[in-house]
Amino acid sequence: MRYLTFALGKGRLARQTLETFEKIGITCQEMKDKNTRKLIFVNEERKLRFFLSKGPDVPTYVEYGAADIGIVGKDTILEEKRNIYEVLDLGFGKCRMCVCGPKDARELLQHQELIRVATKYPNIAKNYFYNKKHQTVEIIKLNGSIELAPIVGLSEVIVDIVETGSTLRENGLNVLEEICPLSARMVVNQVSMKMEHERITKLISDLKELLSGENNEKMI
Ligand code: PRP
């Protein structure tokens, strides 16, 4: 049996993924060591390998088959536009992709003004403004702390992730328009889906069963 390789986005998503996998009996003891600098971890018994990468690189590893499976946010899937199968919504990492800015920027969005939009997600922003709203805007790519842009006058609005809303609140900004809901998704390499069909579909069905159980518990 060959190894089934998982690419996990570093950080919170990877931790939540491992917690979820433990509940269906998939463990990786090695990965729990917080001080390790290792990048790849093995579960010999089940022939599984896990590695951590930057979130935006997960779809790349999966498209090229360096990983059979990836766990990544829907935002990254939309932004990276890779040829991969999205097979499951894991239900954690829930947040929203939004257009945000100061209250008075709301008018600029309604009157189709030529505005500047700062974002870490230029493809998502382009798709939203050009194809959905039919508004011509200037997209400015940033790499983090996006909320700064309208405060210091780099842009009128931003396109960014809103989770609790506290970053916006603490910086005097608001959600002006909602683009789409986001959460962690499982993605699969297109060839692996055929070659490892049995193992991968079993994994998906185990996860689905777990998630529907958890949802039922929430409703009780
Ligand atoms: C993300 C996002 C927002 C913030 C939203 O940034 O870009 O800034 O979290 O979360 P909240 O609604 O709960 O405040 P992240 O912490 O990933 O860092 P970044 O600014 O470097 O992108």
Side-chain angles (χ1 to χ4, degrees), residues 120 143-147 160-167:
K120 209 156 62 167
N143 295 298
S145 303
I146 315 297
E147 290 83 357
D160 201 17
I161 289 173
V162 179
E163 191 181 351
T164 61
S166 56
T167 311

Side-chain angles (χ1 to χ4, degrees), residues 186-201:
M186 177 181 287
V187 294
V188 178
N189 171 268
Q190 295 185 345
V191 176
S192 306
M193 196 67 200
K194 290 193 186 77
M195 304 300 285
E196 295 291 338
H197 192 256
E198 209 173 303
R199 291 170 85 190
I200 295 176
T201 47

